[in-house]
Amino acid sequence: MKWKAVTGAKGYKIYVYNSKGKLQYTETTSKTAYNFKELKKSTVYKFKIKAYTNVEKKTVWSSATSYFTAATMPGMPTLKAAAVKSGAKLSWTKQKGADGYMVYMATSKNGKYKSISNEEGISNLSMTKKGLKKSKKYYFKVRTYITVGKNKVYSKYSKIICIKAK
């Protein structure tokens, strides 16, 4: 997390809240950036920041910023695939806190991958892709997402799996 410096500030106090607004903990830093290592994957957090300075041996605090919301990256699923008649049966591991999964397919490993899940993603942990040409190779990958407001936060892509259609 990064923010703009406040003129005259000696440091900053970061307030970390859960998605319901309950204070989880605070951090203090003299820098204008902070790397959180203790946050859970696939979790929405709210934050506030206050600046402080010292005046005559007393700490003077600014007003807190408004809440801003952010989410941690979800865990990366592990993809499994098997060829079935004219298609591929795909399944992946459940990721805690996930709102859904996006599944992608290409006709070459480094080709252009297109989503084969709907725009909203898939909430279940498997799907079958039909209509594949016999003896042709297809490449698949999947990623997890969580929704924050109108935005999605995605995991890294799974390893790519190649299937030769039956």
Side-chain angles (χ1 to χ4, degrees):
M1 179 164 72
K2 294 181 182 182
W3 58 91
K4 290 183 180 180
V6 174
T7 304
K10 297 289 183 200
Y12 304 90
K13 189 165 192 172
I14 306 163
Y15 297 82
V16 182
Y17 300 84
N18 67 18
S19 62
K20 295 177 182 168
K22 183 179 178 188
L23 182 65
Q24 299 297 291
Y25 63 93
T26 62
E27 296 288 345
T28 304
T29 182
S30 60
K31 299 179 181 178
T32 56
Y34 191 82
N35 185 14
F36 295 91
K37 294 181 179 160
E38 57 280 338
L39 300 179
K40 294 178 184 176
K41 289 182 183 179
S42 297
T43 304
V44 177
Y45 291 95
K46 293 181 179 183
F47 302 89
K48 283 186 178 184
I49 301 174
K50 283 185 179 181
Y52 71 87
T53 192
N54 297 317
V55 178
E56 298 178 8
K57 297 184 182 181
K58 290 185 180 180
T59 303
V60 179
W61 294 91
S62 71
S63 299
T65 62
S66 298
Y67 279 115
F68 59 94
T69 304
T72 53
M73 183 185 290
M76 180 181 72
T78 300
L79 178 63
K80 293 180 182 177
V84 295
K85 186 172 179 154
S86 300
K89 172 80 173 156
L90 309 167
S91 64
W92 47 90
T93 54
K94 181 176 181 158
Q95 297 300 304
K96 186 176 180 181
D99 290 324
Y101 304 87
M102 298 295 291
V103 184
Y104 302 88
M105 182 182 82
T107 54
S108 67
K109 186 173 184 175
N110 296 317
K112 184 174 181 178
Y113 284 81
K114 292 185 180 180
S115 174
I116 57 172
S117 47
N118 60 36
E119 286 184 33
E120 294 80 39
I122 298 171
S123 59
N124 36 332
L125 300 173
S126 66
M127 71 174 290
T128 301
K129 173 63 177 159
K130 294 285 189 180
L132 302 181
K133 294 181 182 176
K134 185 178 181 179
S135 299
K136 185 170 171 116
K137 289 183 179 180
Y138 294 90
Y139 298 82
F140 299 92
K141 61 185 178 180
V142 63
R143 65 181 175 170
T144 307
Y145 70 87
I146 60 172
T147 306
V148 181
K150 294 181 181 182
N151 300 311
K152 290 180 180 174
V153 176
Y154 294 97
S155 70
K156 293 179 181 179
Y157 288 103
S158 67
K159 289 184 179 179
I160 296 168
I161 293 189
C162 178
I163 293 296
K164 188 173 184 179
K166 291 183 179 181

